[in-house]
């Protein structure tokens, strides 16, 4: 009988000490979708922002490429238009501020799922050899942290095409 009590106490002590080392506070945190916030490039030196806006019922396909000196090229594939221009100093400053202040939050489900007639937004930013690339749509744009940037880029395209 004393041996059984001793074994039960030993087993209990082992279980308690084993559980103690598995406590939630001692475990290293695994990054989750909410804690991963890829930073967009700072847009210093030589950089390029490429943005395309496609899809929808109209089958839209428009894009803009902006370089560090503010020069841009806009393509409207559907209308067959190509427009070159220069951003104003204010527009260039606003763009740089939007890029550097934006915090991208990845979508919870794959892009494009459940969005038959949505617009698709492809954004690529190249900055001194580093690349940031993301594809968004009308469903996941709002929670992405990039809505202001995407809206500004769309506005630049629309203002030049009209």
């Amino acid at each position: 009988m004393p041996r059984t009590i001793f074994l039960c106490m030993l087993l209990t002590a082992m279980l308690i000490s084993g559980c103690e080392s598995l406590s939630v506070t001692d475990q290293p945190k695994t990054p989750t979708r909410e804690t991963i916030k890829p930073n967009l490039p700072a847009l210093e030196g030589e950089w390029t922002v490429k943005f395309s806006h496609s899809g929808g019922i109209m089958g839209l396909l428009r894009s803009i490429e902006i370089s560090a000196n503010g020069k841009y090229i806009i393509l409207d594939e559907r209308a067959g238009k190509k427009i070159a221009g220069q951003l104003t100093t204010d527009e260039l400053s606003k763009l740089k501020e939007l890029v550097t202040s934006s915090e991208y939050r990845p979508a919870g489900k794959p892009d494009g799922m459940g969005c038959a007639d949505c617009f698709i937004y492809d954004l690529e930013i190249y900055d001194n050899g580093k690349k940031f690339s993301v594809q968004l749509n009308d469903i996941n744009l709002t929670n992405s942290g990039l809505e202001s940037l995407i809206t500004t880029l769309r506005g630049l395209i629309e203002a030049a095409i009209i």
Side-chain angles (χ1 to χ4, degrees), residues 86-129:
Q86 175 76 40
L87 294 180
T88 66
T89 305
D90 288 341
E91 289 171 328
L92 190 57
S93 294
K94 180 180 178 182
L95 176 65
K96 288 176 73 171
E97 174 62 28
L98 280 170
V99 170
T100 56
S101 66
S102 295
E103 284 189 14
Y104 171 60
R105 294 182 297 273
K109 62 181 183 176
D111 297 336
M113 300 303 263
C115 192
D117 290 326
C118 284
F119 285 117
I120 305 297
Y121 310 103
D122 290 300
L123 176 65
E124 292 180 359
I125 302 172
Y126 300 90
D127 182 33
N128 294 316

Side-chain angles (χ1 to χ4, degrees), residues 38-148:
N39 294 327
L40 277 65
L43 297 188
E44 297 172 351
E46 290 300 313
W47 55 265
T48 304
V49 173
K50 295 180 179 182
F51 169 71
S52 71
H53 175 206
S54 61
I57 293 173
M58 303 179 327
L60 189 72
L61 182 52
R62 295 177 174 169
S63 64
I64 186 169
E65 183 174 330
I66 306 168
S67 61
N69 61 9
K71 291 186 179 187
Y72 65 81
I73 296 174
I74 295 174
L75 298 173
D76 185 338
E77 300 286 335
R78 190 165 172 246
K81 289 184 180 179
K82 180 178 181 178
I83 302 166
Q86 175 76 40
L87 294 180
T88 66
T89 305
D90 288 341
E91 289 171 328
L92 190 57
S93 294
K94 180 180 178 182
L95 176 65
K96 288 176 73 171
E97 174 62 28
L98 280 170
V99 170
T100 56
S101 66
S102 295
E103 284 189 14
Y104 171 60
R105 294 182 297 273
K109 62 181 183 176
D111 297 336
M113 300 303 263
C115 192
D117 290 326
C118 284
F119 285 117
I120 305 297
Y121 310 103
D122 290 300
L123 176 65
E124 292 180 359
I125 302 172
Y126 300 90
D127 182 33
N128 294 316
K130 296 178 186 171
K131 178 183 175 183
F132 172 85
S133 179
V134 66
Q135 184 180 74
L136 300 166
N137 61 42
D138 288 334
I139 292 176
N140 60 20
L141 177 62
T142 304
N143 296 321
S144 70
L146 301 178
E147 187 172 23
S148 294

